[in-house]
């Protein structure tokens, strides 16, 4: 569990970092977006939660657009956290 130990050491060294715990990746991505992009956003990047390279590739676009990356599931129900974030934060004149 080297990754877990590294995370614990990082949090001990930087107590200002917070752990956002959610049950599934899609909810975690929406929680991170809400934490760091809590206001209105101009763009949102979507990636599937089933295949991590999608989000990895989308990270370049997200950085360029200063946009959060939200993960989606196979159904609207699985994607509800992302849909809620979009409806609450995306400027109505801008793009997903």
């Amino acid at each position: 569990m080297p990754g877990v130990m590294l995370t614990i050491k990082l949090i001990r060294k930087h107590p200002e970092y917070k752990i956002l715990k959610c049950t599934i990746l899609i909810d975690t991505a929406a929680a991170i977006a809400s934490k760091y992009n809590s206001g209105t956003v101009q763009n949102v990047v979507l990636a599937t939660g089933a295949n991590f390279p999608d989000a990895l590739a989308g990270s370049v676009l997200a950085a360029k657009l200063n946009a959060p990356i939200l993960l989606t599931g196979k159904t609207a129900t699985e994607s509800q956290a992302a849909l809620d974030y979009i409806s609450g934060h995306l400027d109505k004149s801008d793009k997903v």
Side-chain angles (χ1 to χ4, degrees):
M1 294 198 297
V4 173
M5 295 308 297
L6 181 61
T7 300
I8 291 170
K9 287 179 184 178
L10 180 66
I11 291 170
R12 286 184 180 151
K13 186 174 181 179
H14 298 280
E16 70 275 14
Y17 292 170
K18 303 287 185 227
I19 296 176
L20 300 173
K21 295 192 310 188
C22 295
T23 56
I24 59 173
L25 292 175
I26 295 165
D27 293 343
T28 302
I32 292 169
S34 293
K35 173 76 174 167
Y36 295 102
N37 297 285
S38 58
T40 302
V41 295
Q42 304 300 311
N43 300 287
V44 172
V45 175
L46 298 177
T48 178
N51 196 5
F52 84 90
D54 286 358
L56 186 60
S59 66
V60 175
L61 177 62
K64 182 177 180 177
L65 298 175
N66 194 29
I69 297 176
L70 298 174
L71 300 178
T72 61
K74 293 180 181 179
T75 66
T77 301
E78 290 177 0
S79 304
Q80 193 59 52
L83 296 171
D84 290 344
Y85 180 86
I86 291 168
S87 67
H89 296 279
L90 183 65
D91 186 303
K92 303 304 179 209
S93 65
D94 288 305
K95 300 174 186 152
V96 174

